[in-house]
Amino acid sequence: AQSVTQLDSHVSVSEGTPVLLRCNYSSSYSPSLFWYVQHPNKGLQLLLKYTSAATLVKGINGFEAEFKKSETSFHLTKPSAHMSDAAEYFCVVGGPLYTGGFKTIFGAGTRLFVKA
Amino acid sequence: KAGVTQTPRYLIKTRGQQVTLSCSPISGHRSVSWYQQTPGQGLQFLFEYFSETQRNKGNFPGRFSGRQFSNSRSEMNVSTLELGDSALYLCASSLGTGVGHEQFFGPGTRLTVL
């Protein structure tokens, strides 16, 4: 069974300060992990993905995430927040199905606020 | 390359009616997935189609159904609408099904059930 927990429903940072969005997962096998961002009235955009290659994954817009198996975590970070980063972020766990399809489970989301 | 398009973007229906939503994937993409997004339940997976076959289904009642055409376009249908079906319905397409394939999301269809 798979599940994903985003530990904070809201995170507020000042522009120029680091961003940390926390995600823990549970999976009975080696998972694929993703972070998506959703800006208001827009669709979801993939930030980055982990698929059992390098544990430190770099994504778009300066975001990166580190896969830590021992902690079952996949936290999203960015060294310096920008106003345009204000959005909702989703951590996603996925894995293959015996049917040949692919199952994805979304976390509840973390809304990031960036203060000027 | 055009992105994923969903029509209509907004829809208002009344309880008991049925609705059909359409999704056109990115050209060349053969996999289409549907998700329901609500403030209370978040993003929930509905179903995934690949090459006109349903590969995976989420935990939704039989009132929710879908299909995929030979050109990979997909439709989802909700019959006997309930107030709780009010949501943003998102469609995502990918080249194939599986871990290596990034999903590209459309802007969604906002369904309001009165």
Side-chain angles (χ1 to χ4, degrees):
Chain A
Q2 292 180 309
S3 66
V4 59
T5 303
Q6 291 184 244
L7 299 170
D8 307 291
S9 59
H10 299 86
V11 169
S12 182
V13 301
S14 297
E15 192 174 23
T17 64
V19 175
L20 170 64
L21 306 182
R22 299 182 295 164
C23 172
N24 285 353
Y25 71 91
S26 171
S27 179
S28 52
Y29 46 82
S30 184
S32 298
L33 294 159
F34 311 80
W35 276 99
Y36 282 86
V37 61
Q38 186 176 35
H39 291 274
N41 300 316
K42 290 192 175 181
L44 289 128
Q45 181 184 21
L46 180 69
L47 281 175
L48 49 81
K49 66 180 179 182
Y50 166 78
T51 56
S52 74
T55 56
L56 182 61
V57 182
K58 293 188 184 298
I60 61 171
N61 302 335
F63 285 94
E64 62 181 38
E66 186 172 7
F67 172 69
K68 292 187 176 180
K69 186 176 180 180
S70 60
E71 299 176 10
T72 60
S73 69
F74 190 59
H75 301 335
L76 182 70
T77 60
K78 182 173 181 178
S80 176
H82 191 273
M83 295 296 289
S84 62
D85 294 328
E88 186 139 25
Y89 293 79
F90 294 92
C91 182
V92 181
V93 62
L97 295 169
Y98 70 91
T99 57
F102 188 73
K103 182 174 183 177
T104 55
I105 300 173
F106 279 73
T110 297
R111 185 163 294 278
L112 176 65
F113 298 93
V114 182
K115 298 175 289 186
Chain B
K1 193 183 254 189
V4 178
T5 57
Q6 293 186 244
T7 56
R9 290 292 310 278
Y10 301 91
L11 204 51
I12 299 175
K13 292 285 188 179
T14 56
R15 278 186 303 171
Q17 288 186 308
Q18 76 164 22
V19 66
T20 299
L21 311 181
S22 180
C23 171
S24 293
I26 291 172
S27 177
H29 285 195
R30 295 169 62 192
S31 174
V32 173
S33 297
W34 288 90
Y35 297 85
Q36 181 195 65
Q37 186 176 24
T38 60
Q41 299 297 319
L43 264 157
Q44 293 185 285
F45 172 78
L46 278 156
F47 24 66
E48 176 195 9
Y49 286 88
F50 180 77
S51 294
E52 302 178 66
T53 302
Q54 188 179 90
R55 290 298 187 99
N56 188 14
K57 190 177 189 302
N59 191 25
F60 278 81
R63 300 185 297 107
F64 291 81
S65 63
R67 59 179 175 168
Q68 187 180 35
F69 301 96
S70 58
N71 62 358
S72 295
R73 190 177 70 85
S74 178
E75 289 181 346
M76 68 161 279
N77 183 276
V78 188
S79 62
T80 320
L81 283 166
E82 301 177 359
L83 295 178
D85 296 334
S86 294
L88 180 68
Y89 290 88
L90 293 166
C91 165
S93 78
S94 60
L95 277 170
T97 183
V99 64
H101 298 287
E102 176 183 348
Q103 288 188 311
F104 294 82
F105 283 81
T109 294
R110 174 77 60 186
L111 172 64
T112 302
V113 182
L114 303 176

